[in-house]
Amino acid sequence: MIYLDHHAASPPAPEVLRAMEAARAKAWANPASAHAAGRAARAVLEAARAQVAAAIGAQPADLVFTAGGTEACNLAVAGVAAGEGPILCAEVEHPATRAAVTREAASRRGETRWLAVPAGRPPSVEAFERALDGASLAVVQWVSHETGAVFPIAAYAEVARRASVPLVVDATQALGKVEVDVGALGATAVAFASSKIGGPPAAGALWISRDSALIPQLVGGAQERGRRAGSPDPAALAGFGAAAERVPARLAAMPDVAARRDRLEAALVDLGASVNGEGLRVATVTNVAVPGWNGSRLVAALDLEGLCVSHGAACSSGVDAPSPVIAAMYPDAPWRAASALRVSLGEATTDDDVDRAIAIFRDVIPRKRPA
């Protein structure tokens, strides 16, 4: 099997598996309990919090652990205190964020103001500032989960600060691909996911600035300083912490990852594919439209040959529909969204993986299954 779906989840490194196994042996008790077993579990939890905080330039007390990136994004959108008024949201957000924005706008503010991202190129700071006028909250991803486009989040944050509009950032695809320092970023809340950096899927985190209130969405307990009720999974969070410690190694591998991505992308273009997206992007992904193919069917055909890729966000897998992100990027070219293919690499991807993937693409794509 050749795994090229790292934007869905990145496989765990041995250090992560070892950390989780060690945690399971000593952190089986409830971390909120005052007795010795509870304190042992709590120690594992807080060690993981310190590891994740160090990876993002934060203080441990400013991190709220969650059960994954989706919960972190939902908590940020619904929990950041904001006044009445429209929510500004980029059209190309991940479904976890987009759905949370739509629900929150309908229940409290009545309107979502969509920020256009034509051809996947992030809006200019001036365009963002114009769109921000009168908004009560702004929600923008740092790195696109589908195309890898890098948004100028620090500049957006400066504009939002001047306008006194809270800014929520989905950074689930940013950590391990770009340098992250939330203390210097200037956003209000920033969401992270363990699975995107080689940690387990049931762990995430939300950083919240100290001068901002956070309304808990899960209630019934005082865990996470009263910001998120419910007993956490210390073993999963220990894995998250171990994965976070490996972020510098992931960053150091990015030039090699980019070279492999570029070689694979060139082969896809030679086979008639068109790259979706323009501008600066991270090293780990190419998103292409493959004329003559339905994206979901192409994914299935490649899977039969032992190649794991995706049509779009993993949470939409099994849905035979055009990618809404690519559709928003290219409203006048629906074939791009219908035939979109996301191929994402990681530090563990080898030259041999790329060679074998290219051979499979060369075998499968010319079959031209009807879209």
Side-chain angles (χ1 to χ4, degrees), residues 229-296:
S231 299
D233 180 352
L237 293 169
F240 189 8
E245 281 204 327
R246 296 198 69 262
V247 163
R250 295 180 76 88
L251 290 171
M254 287 302 107
D256 289 338
V257 174
R260 295 184 180 107
R261 185 273 314 276
D262 291 347
R263 186 159 64 88
L264 192 151
E265 182 176 274
L268 286 166
V269 171
D270 284 345
L271 289 167
S274 298
V275 177
N276 291 321
E278 299 176 359
L280 178 66
R281 58 179 170 160
V282 293
T284 50
V285 65
T286 182
N287 191 300
V288 297
V290 187
W293 275 95
N294 167 282
S296 296

Side-chain angles (χ1 to χ4, degrees), residues 181-192:
D181 183 346
V182 293
L185 186 63
T188 305
V190 187
F192 300 94

Side-chain angles (χ1 to χ4, degrees), residues 2-368:
I2 307 163
Y3 185 78
L4 296 181
D5 197 18
H6 287 254
H7 274 217
S10 197
E15 301 96 308
V16 173
L17 297 176
R18 287 195 295 268
M20 294 178 68
E21 190 60 31
R24 287 191 183 98
K26 62 183 178 183
W28 46 266
N30 191 322
S33 297
H35 48 59
R39 293 196 301 273
R42 184 73 180 182
V44 169
L45 182 71
E46 294 309 322
R49 196 188 309 275
Q51 289 171 311
V52 176
I56 64 172
Q59 293 299 313
D62 299 330
L63 274 187
V64 180
F65 274 145
T66 67
T70 293
E71 186 194 342
C73 290
N74 273 247
L75 177 58
V77 171
V80 167
E84 295 298 317
I87 300 179
L88 177 64
C89 181
E91 287 184 330
V92 295
E93 294 299 309
H94 188 279
T97 305
R98 186 182 176 100
V101 165
T102 302
R103 183 181 64 182
E104 184 67 9
S107 66
R108 291 177 54 192
R109 301 177 178 89
E111 179 188 352
T112 302
R113 182 181 297 167
W114 297 108
L115 184 62
V117 187
R121 187 180 291 275
S124 67
V125 176
E126 293 75 19
F128 178 79
E129 186 169 19
R130 289 193 298 271
L132 194 66
D133 185 43
S136 64
L137 179 69
V139 181
V140 186
Q141 61 190 183
W142 193 334
V143 171
S144 169
H145 58 291
E146 293 208 21
T147 69
V150 180
F151 286 65
I153 289 297
Y156 289 173
E158 175 61 29
V159 170
R161 279 199 309 275
R162 292 200 304 264
S164 298
V165 177
L167 175 65
V168 166
V169 176
D170 172 5
T172 55
Q173 292 290 353
L175 187 59
K177 301 178 180 75
V178 300
E179 294 283 352
V180 173
D181 183 346
V182 293
L185 186 63
T188 305
V190 187
F192 300 94
S194 163
S195 62
K196 310 305 182 185
I197 58 168
L206 179 68
W207 174 86
I208 183 79
S209 61
R210 290 201 170 182
D211 59 352
S212 300
L214 185 69
I215 304 166
Q217 302 303 298
L218 290 178
V219 296
Q223 294 94 341
E224 296 300 304
R225 298 174 179 258
R227 299 172 294 189
R228 191 267 188 188
S231 299
D233 180 352
L237 293 169
F240 189 8
E245 281 204 327
R246 296 198 69 262
V247 163
R250 295 180 76 88
L251 290 171
M254 287 302 107
D256 289 338
V257 174
R260 295 184 180 107
R261 185 273 314 276
D262 291 347
R263 186 159 64 88
L264 192 151
E265 182 176 274
L268 286 166
V269 171
D270 284 345
L271 289 167
S274 298
V275 177
N276 291 321
E278 299 176 359
L280 178 66
R281 58 179 170 160
V282 293
T284 50
V285 65
T286 182
N287 191 300
V288 297
V290 187
W293 275 95
N294 167 282
S296 296
R297 293 174 189 168
L298 180 53
V299 167
L302 294 166
D303 186 38
L304 289 174
E305 302 298 329
L307 177 58
C308 301
V309 295
S310 70
H311 177 46
C315 61
S316 300
S317 63
V319 178
D320 188 9
S323 162
V325 168
I326 306 304
M329 289 166 48
Y330 298 100
D332 298 325
W335 66 274
R336 283 183 175 267
S339 65
L341 190 71
R342 184 183 73 179
V343 185
S344 50
L345 297 71
E347 60 172 327
T349 304
T350 65
D351 288 328
D352 182 61
D353 291 334
V354 173
D355 291 339
R356 291 162 60 204
I358 290 173
I360 292 171
F361 282 129
R362 286 174 175 163
D363 177 50
V364 172
I365 287 179
R367 298 175 193 172
K368 298 291 183 184

